Amino acid sequence: MISNAPLVEFLTALADDELLIGHRDAEWTGYAPILEEDIAFSNIAQDEIGHGLVWYSLLEPMTGKTPDQMGFERPSADFRCCRFVTYPRGDFAYTVMRQYLYDEAEQVRLESLVACPSTPVRDAAAKILQEEAYHLLHSKGLVLRLGSATEESHGRMAKALADAFPQALGMFEPLNSEGQLIEAGIFPGNASLRVRWMDRILPVLRQATIPVESLGSHDATMKPDLGGRRGDHLPHLAQALSDLQSVYQSEKGASW
Amino acid sequence: MTDTQWETWEVFHQTKRGDPHEHVGAVHAPDAEMALQMARDQFARRLKCASLWVVRSRDITMTDYQDATFFARTTDKSYRDPKAFDAPEKLHP
């Protein structure tokens, strides 16, 4: 039987990824380039934060911390999200590219959890997968269209991929307890998820006519943006958290 | 100023199978597939929904509000109204 610590680490990383990407998506509310995308990103933001809540709730019996405490009371160094999801929202091309790369990774990660020996984890993954399928449809649809729509959109999407790719590799940064998690059958490990992810994104990016040659094969030579999984974050996370936590921190324990 | 938005698509929403699709509004989208996704976000997120239709707004042929005579009933047509029996309010079960 696996001790709780590796599972806590694993679920915290999962939940923190969802909370932060949701927060960054929510930053488009009122600002997206088109009304429908404003609503779509706000909707996706709520879904992602909702998924974070699912994982934080599963953690509560193991850590004794409520989802609110996990989201609003921890300092940035305690977060285990990858750096990728903490970057500022950038332009809309970057947002779309990040969301697409994230959605594909999320899909691969959740699919791998459907065989997890922990029933609550398995059930949560199956439930979340249903909503993620829609996110993927949306972000993939935009990548395919913007990749080849106009010279400007093509150029912006190509730049977005070049910027986002090394960051995105950070989604697959190994966890401390990677070995124990694989041994316990919780998930197949980040190296294997990364291979599956590459197999999915490359054909889509090619179809979108976005250049992928510089990404290398399965072993990209570029330096992945790592650190998030061990709490070594960029200042972006603290900045995001100061926004995200400000209301809660201004009146701790208030009931809403 | 030129309109830089995508073209509009009219959205028809069906609450449950067998019900008529009812017009609920319009969305901007670059093509039909995206229009359905946008329509889902605008109109099916809170409303119960069994099916959505989207139709390019410009594919709809409409009457002209100025052309009131198109609908004119200038002579007595009361003989056409169902008076001798009760018309059921709901024709669809």
Side-chain angles (χ1 to χ4, degrees):
Chain A
M1 185 62 198
I2 189 168
S3 86
N4 272 345
L7 193 57
V8 167
E9 188 198 4
F10 178 73
L11 292 179
T12 304
L14 214 62
D16 291 348
D17 277 1
E18 297 277 38
L19 180 63
L20 265 295
I21 190 105
H23 176 71
R24 288 305 189 190
D25 285 342
E27 290 180 326
W28 281 105
T29 303
Y31 298 97
I34 198 158
L35 175 66
E36 283 75 2
E37 282 303 324
D38 199 295
I39 294 170
F41 266 91
S42 306
N43 181 23
I44 290 168
Q46 287 183 328
D47 281 351
E48 301 291 24
I49 293 170
H51 298 164
L53 177 61
V54 170
W55 299 123
Y56 287 134
S57 304
L58 283 186
L59 278 165
E60 191 170 348
M62 292 181 253
T63 60
K65 283 193 176 141
T66 65
D68 274 359
Q69 288 172 322
M70 290 297 280
F72 298 128
E73 290 190 12
R74 281 180 306 156
S76 62
D78 288 358
F79 274 74
R80 290 295 175 269
C81 47
C82 54
R83 289 179 172 187
F84 182 42
V85 295
T86 70
Y87 277 87
R89 67 174 195 214
D91 65 2
F92 196 65
Y94 176 80
T95 289
V96 165
M97 184 56 75
R98 170 162 64 182
Q99 190 66 38
Y100 170 64
L101 298 176
Y102 181 83
D103 287 342
E104 289 279 23
E106 194 58 22
Q107 194 82 9
V108 161
R109 184 155 64 173
L110 290 169
E111 284 168 10
S112 81
L113 291 181
V114 172
C116 173
S118 157
T119 312
V121 171
R122 205 168 54 228
D123 291 351
K127 226 189 279 176
I128 294 173
L129 253 180
Q130 292 190 6
E131 280 181 5
E132 285 295 337
Y134 160 71
H135 295 182
L136 186 57
L137 199 66
H138 177 252
S139 60
K140 192 196 278 185
L142 285 176
V143 165
L144 286 172
R145 285 163 180 82
L146 290 173
S148 59
T150 65
E151 208 177 306
E152 185 189 359
S153 77
H154 174 81
R156 282 184 182 234
M157 292 303 279
K159 181 179 185 308
L161 179 65
D163 291 345
F165 189 76
Q167 302 166 1
L169 292 175
M171 291 189 285
F172 307 102
E173 177 179 355
L175 301 164
N176 262 328
S177 41
E178 188 90 6
Q180 290 158 273
L181 288 161
I182 296 172
E183 207 172 305
I186 302 289
F187 88 130
N190 276 298
S192 132
L193 294 188
R194 177 173 139 179
V195 172
R196 290 184 211 177
W197 173 75
M198 285 294 280
D199 285 344
R200 295 197 188 180
I201 63 166
L202 286 179
V204 174
L205 294 169
R206 278 198 197 98
Q207 196 190 334
T209 74
I210 300 169
V212 293
E213 295 70 34
S214 61
L215 308 184
S217 61
H218 286 180
D219 289 300
T221 44
M222 63 178 66
K223 203 167 167 284
D225 196 349
L226 305 180
R229 299 292 187 220
R230 41 172 210 277
D232 176 13
H233 294 290
L234 299 167
H236 306 310
L237 177 63
Q239 175 269 316
L241 290 178
S242 80
D243 283 348
L244 181 67
Q245 298 178 337
S246 61
V247 174
Y248 182 92
Q249 293 286 356
S250 70
E251 194 64 55
K252 251 191 198 172
S255 62
W256 297 85
Chain B
M1 208 176 116
T2 50
D3 186 0
T4 57
Q5 304 264 312
W6 293 316
E7 64 182 326
T8 60
W9 300 70
E10 301 301 321
V11 181
F12 297 82
H13 171 274
Q14 184 191 46
T15 308
K16 65 175 205 300
R17 267 183 100 138
D19 281 358
H21 281 73
E22 285 173 11
H23 184 240
V24 283
V27 292
H28 290 94
D31 53 45
E33 194 190 330
M34 290 297 285
L36 277 178
Q37 287 189 36
M38 302 303 193
R40 174 194 177 275
D41 278 340
Q42 322 297 310
F43 301 108
R45 197 151 71 92
R46 297 200 176 88
L47 293 176
K48 186 174 175 279
C49 186
S51 157
L52 287 172
W53 290 348
V54 289
V55 180
R56 230 186 224 102
S57 302
R58 66 179 154 88
D59 285 344
I60 291 177
T61 310
M62 66 178 287
T63 55
D64 185 352
Y65 284 112
Q66 307 307 316
D67 184 15
T69 55
F70 190 74
F71 302 108
R73 289 165 57 120
T74 44
T75 59
D76 178 18
K77 300 214 190 303
S78 61
Y79 61 88
R80 293 184 179 183
D81 297 336
K83 282 179 184 158
F85 57 90
D86 289 332
E89 246 175 60
K90 235 171 111 181
L91 291 173
H92 300 279

